[in-house]
Amino acid sequence: IFRGWELTDRTKFVMAAIGTVLAGMFAEFLISMRRWEVWKRPSKPAGSRLRRMLWPDWRTAAVLVLYAATRSMGYWVMLISMMYSVEMFMALIAGLTIGHAVFNLDAAPGEDATPCCQAGSAAKPSRNPARSVRSAVEMRDRGESGNTVVLKVEGMTCGACETTVSNAVSARPEVVSVSSCSHVKGEVEVVLSSHVPEHTGAENVRQAVEQVGFVATVVPATAKSSLV
């Protein structure tokens, strides 16, 4: 890929293999730092999103730098894997495996060093699907299903993203069911329990979506009809 970086002797080849192992380990370290940042992030950051983008404080700046570093390392790992060298590929896998064992062994599966779906599985696994369906039906039959809330979600690009968002939302106790979740439309629709005020439930759902790395906005009731 890089013409000036030719491995013309054994020493260069060995050094490149060691560097590849370290690159894999560093990629897993960055992922662990992003997980730690999400875990330490306040549920409701101060200031509007626009203000934090234009005049970021130290926390927002650190998050953006960490995001850029993780993305860059992800693409760098992809370039190494495209060198068509069995030795370099094995060194990369060894580095990722060692890094995962050191930094992410106890983390939930679903997140890796590739650029797609970095939000991964920061959320706790959802409740048993069959039990969730039965609970939703039972609550509906008892008249406990309340308002339907629609949220616009930025950042979903594939089915894995939909699963991540659905799991995060369905894990909330005030959610009766997830009516739909589409990365094409960029939205998720949920039914809340009638025992929870709509604005409180909607805010809790929004925070659940953002805790797994996406940007969510509650669609106002006046705008829902225009979406139908």
Side-chain angles (χ1 to χ4, degrees):
I1 299 176
F2 304 102
R3 295 183 178 180
W5 296 13
E6 297 182 358
L7 307 179
T8 55
D9 55 53
R10 179 174 298 180
T11 301
K12 291 182 179 180
F13 193 86
V14 171
M15 294 299 294
I18 294 175
T20 300
V21 172
L22 295 177
M25 295 176 62
F26 186 62
E28 287 289 328
F29 170 74
L30 289 176
I31 292 174
S32 69
M33 290 300 295
R34 289 200 67 194
R35 286 194 176 109
W36 179 83
E37 184 276 323
V38 171
W39 180 67
K40 297 288 289 185
R41 183 186 302 171
S43 58
K44 190 173 183 180
S48 64
R49 184 176 294 108
L50 179 61
R51 178 187 177 280
R52 286 185 283 121
M53 290 174 58
L54 297 178
W55 297 281
D57 55 12
W58 69 269
R59 181 183 292 276
T60 303
V63 169
L64 294 176
V65 170
L66 184 58
Y67 174 84
T70 306
R71 280 287 194 260
S72 300
M73 202 64 203
Y75 281 110
W76 180 251
V77 165
M78 289 181 61
L79 287 175
I80 294 176
S81 66
M82 294 170 60
M83 292 178 63
Y84 304 105
S85 169
V86 175
E87 294 84 359
M88 290 297 104
F89 179 76
M90 293 176 63
L92 177 61
I93 296 301
L96 290 171
T97 303
I98 295 172
H100 184 79
V102 174
F103 302 111
N104 296 309
L105 188 60
D106 296 328
E111 183 176 6
D112 52 37
T114 58
C116 180
C117 301
Q118 279 291 326
S121 300
K124 297 180 180 179
S126 65
R127 299 166 293 192
N128 180 275
R131 180 181 300 177
S132 297
V133 172
R134 288 196 301 269
S135 299
V137 173
E138 291 171 357
M139 294 181 72
R140 183 190 61 194
D141 293 341
R142 294 196 300 265
E144 297 181 8
S145 296
N147 297 309
T148 298
V149 174
V150 178
L151 294 90
K152 300 298 292 184
V153 181
E154 300 176 22
M156 291 196 297
T157 58
C158 60
C161 297
E162 294 177 357
T163 301
T164 300
V165 172
S166 296
N167 287 344
V169 170
S170 61
R172 294 295 311 174
E174 60 269 72
V175 173
V176 175
S177 64
V178 179
S179 302
S180 65
C181 183
S182 171
H183 73 276
V184 177
K185 294 182 178 180
E187 65 181 37
V188 59
E189 181 178 332
V190 301
V191 178
L192 300 176
S193 169
S194 60
H195 300 301
V196 179
E198 181 178 0
H199 68 280
T200 301
E203 176 61 21
N204 291 340
V205 172
R206 185 194 67 79
Q207 291 182 15
V209 174
E210 297 209 337
Q211 284 175 359
V212 292
F214 298 93
V215 178
T217 305
V218 179
V219 177
T222 55
K224 291 181 186 178
S225 57
S226 63
L227 298 176
V228 178

